[in-house]
DNA sequence: AATGAATGAGCGTTCATTCAT
DNA sequence: GATGAATGAACGCTCATTCAT
């Protein structure tokens, strides 16, 4: 299988670097090939076309990304903790790979409808992880009943995504992992002044 | 000033239509010129280059968009109501202009870093409106103290944005305005089971 | 109409020259553009694609070619004379344009099935001219009855074509027009020793 | 000698099939190798380059083709009969191998000047056979004296070739062998009304 | 002898922008 | 101001050939 050959990963890693450094539209196949240390034609032994590099890149990297999140969250007890771990691991992983963060938050979004559709398919697995945590939270009595699952998913994903994008666009100048707890708290409790505060 | 000449608006409206119908990458300057009923060269009497059409488009349309939101929100009393009105008006306006919704949520994001930076500058005015409402909410005692303003802004904007994008990608098949209250509620109260429920 | 603009002919003439000198497969669009004194992109204002240059070239040149043959033959009285004139004019015209001869006899045949089909359509008009002459010959009682029209057409065209191709492949080193009468004679009388000869 | 090794013929037969089915320009070396059941690199142990496959193909197939024609014709008595047999066998052999017919009449002509020159060298042997028959015919007193040998050869070959090409381009929908006698008759007697007819 | 992964030169076409009219 | 014909730089992809194994 092609995915296990060393050049497959080699090219994908080169693509992440090149795209992060040059931007999506200045990332010619020849540039990626050069960075990967292979001939232009070699790219096409491992990928159908340029778009396929990007889809594969996303599948490969997001696959690991989600796996890690699944690992970390399952070990937690409550939905609340799981959600916190999810946010923390989400931020942590992107903070650990600056190039990948730029690519996923900015450059890959410049792709066309088709590619974006394929990217969304990869994301579904992640959204399922979120859904399950929410489900557990409701069953545990921690989260409200009657929540619109789709909206909740959008709130959680949308907020994390927006937070990471802002961090990337501010050139990753602060530590995003520090914001995990606050984000978690906002998602769980919202803006409203809560009881404890009120009682103080 | 060029912005008040009829052809300026004519070209921008043509651009919205063309981009919504053909997608960002199939929206050549010549296609926009044709739809606007002017010659290709005329475009360059009103805009510096292609990117300038898109920036102007966003400025023009978002200007009106934000103005409307400012109007609607200022008439409301509490921060809570203002936030609800903001969400409702945000959804309402995009629901009213399908083409614009496609362009802002999907197509314009395919632009490069530069253009997106400029788009973000236009958005700042909108984020200020949000900030002010949050400020009021805190002062009114409705919202928690000690909120990280930037994160709150990201939560509110990120969630609305994600909700609209999802709606657009589902081909606008449902009525997004119906979701305003639920979104508002999630932002205000979060996922946590609230007091009323608990007491039940 | 594009066909009347000077650049249309300019490009076609450049194409004939370039193809004759470099061969079909070494005739890049950029080379044709350069010879025509226009930019590469200008080609595409007048032709759909590279193949379209070739089809148009053939239509344009063969159109004139056939017209001339029609003119010359109609003024002749008998089918026999008409056939002789046809052969003579066919040879004469190709002898007068060495580049065109190379292109039609050698280079254009390197095209794919599609293009060849289109070329054949242009040729139909020529084959019709031949058919009519044969028809007249039969009516005049000069030619045999019961001739298979398709085979006759193939004999006449095949022989002229083969004769011209041989001449071109011998680098046009002899005067092909000198062979018109002999070719005519072979077509009319075949190989067989005729009566006069036999009676001698 | 390489020509006697089984893979040599194996590759040539694969080439005929691949070219007939896919057309000259879609017949990549790798496709031929696959059909022949050998590795791409193996091709280059038996052939200098791609062009050499085609030249060898033509030599191999035309060699057999001409041999058969030589066999059949020598057994005939008169030049007239020999010519008839030549035409008949020519048609018969191509009718018997549809793939080869497509390759020789259409696809191989898409090759460049160089290759065509080499192909013509192979054809010389065939043209010699024709020449000899004509010579005999003249000596026998059946054919006219003073015939231009080159033109006669072109008439005979050109007509057969044109007839076969037409048949191939009409997707071999009729039986070309049926036309042998008529073609023969046209070559021998031409178009002119002959004595027998006139006397009737 | 045989393999097949790797190579890299080569090209048709698009489209934002210009500028003579 | 308005036009639209002309420009030309830029790039993804193919495939004949090589060569280490």
């Amino acid at each position: 299988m092609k995915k296990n050959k060393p050049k497959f990963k080699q090219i994908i890693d080169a693509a992440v670097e090149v795209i992060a450094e040059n931007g999506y539209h200045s990332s010619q196949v020849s540039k990626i090939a050069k960075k990967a240390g292979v001939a232009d034609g070699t790219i096409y032994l491992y990928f159908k076309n340029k778009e396929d590099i990007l889809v594969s890149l996303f599948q490969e990297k997001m696959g690991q990304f989600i796996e890690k999140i699944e690992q970390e969250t399952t070990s937690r007890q409550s939905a609340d903790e799981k959600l916190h771990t999810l946010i923390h691991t989400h931020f942590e992983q992107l903070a650990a790979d600056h190039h990948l963060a730029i690519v996923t938050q900015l450059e890959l979004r410049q792709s066309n409808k088709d590619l974006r559709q394929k990217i969304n398919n990869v994301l579904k697995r992640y959204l399922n992880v979120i859904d399950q945590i929410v489900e557990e939270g409701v069953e545990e009595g921690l989260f409200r009943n009657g929540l619109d699952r789709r909206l909740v998913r959008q709130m959680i994903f949308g907020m994390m995504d927006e937070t990471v994008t802002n961090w990337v666009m501010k050139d990753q100048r602060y530590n995003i992992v520090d914001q995990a707890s606050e984000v978690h708290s906002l998602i769980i409790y919202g803006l409203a002044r809560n009881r404890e505060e009120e009682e103080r």
Side-chain angles (χ1 to χ4, degrees), chain A:
Chain A
M1 195 209 193
K2 293 225 158 126
K3 302 213 173 190
N4 296 322
K5 297 201 179 167
K7 293 209 171 151
F8 182 84
K9 285 181 195 303
Q10 209 171 312
I11 291 165
I12 282 186
D13 287 337
V16 174
E17 257 192 87
V18 170
I19 295 173
E21 283 167 2
N22 302 280
Y24 179 82
H25 283 113
S26 303
S27 297
Q28 297 82 352
V29 171
S30 62
K31 221 180 246 173
I32 295 173
K34 200 171 181 183
K35 176 78 87 179
V38 300
D40 290 20
T42 306
I43 299 269
Y44 293 88
L45 297 176
Y46 294 90
F47 302 91
K48 233 183 20 266
N49 50 36
K50 191 184 177 184
E51 185 180 298
D52 190 35
I53 307 177
L54 300 172
V55 174
S56 303
L57 180 165
F58 197 73
Q59 287 174 336
E60 193 74 6
K61 296 296 181 185
M62 274 314 276
Q64 297 167 14
F65 187 94
I66 297 173
E67 223 154 278
K68 170 88 170 159
I69 287 182
E70 284 173 339
Q71 278 171 21
E72 296 293 325
T73 52
T74 40
S75 65
R76 306 295 156 152
Q77 292 295 325
S78 68
D80 185 272
E81 275 179 288
K82 283 184 179 179
L83 184 58
H84 188 277
T85 303
L86 180 139
I87 297 166
H88 191 273
T89 314
H90 186 127
F91 288 0
E92 198 177 45
Q93 289 192 85
L94 288 170
D97 191 342
H98 289 206
H99 283 157
L100 186 62
I102 293 170
V103 172
T104 60
Q105 300 307 121
L106 303 185
E107 304 303 340
L108 235 49
R109 319 228 162 165
Q110 298 177 42
S111 52
N112 60 36
K113 233 173 184 170
D114 243 35
L115 176 50
R116 227 174 20 236
Q117 202 60 255
K118 287 178 187 169
I119 284 178
N120 276 334
N121 283 335
V122 179
L123 276 182
K124 268 186 190 149
R125 190 173 151 204
Y126 191 19
L127 297 180
N128 283 337
V129 175
I130 296 178
D131 280 353
Q132 266 180 4
I133 295 178
V134 173
E135 202 60 45
E136 282 181 41
V138 173
E139 280 168 18
E140 289 172 15
L142 287 172
F143 298 165
R144 292 192 262 159
N145 256 321
L147 290 168
D148 180 323
R149 293 303 192 272
R150 183 170 17 160
L151 282 180
V152 168
R153 192 197 302 144
Q154 282 164 23
M155 175 165 81
I156 296 172
F157 186 81
M159 179 155 188
M160 289 194 297
D161 193 57
E162 190 74 18
T163 302
V164 178
T165 298
N166 267 276
W167 168 73
V168 171
M169 290 197 58
K170 292 261 186 283
D171 295 327
Q172 319 188 345
R173 276 198 287 266
Y174 50 88
N175 187 350
I176 191 177
V177 182
D178 292 346
Q179 304 195 316
S181 295
E182 184 82 12
V183 167
H184 171 252
S185 165
L186 276 170
I187 290 173
I188 297 289
Y189 301 113
L191 301 180
R193 217 178 146 200
N194 56 31
R195 210 168 5 170
E196 292 80 34
E197 278 185 294
E198 284 175 55
E199 283 167 354
R200 248 182 266 140

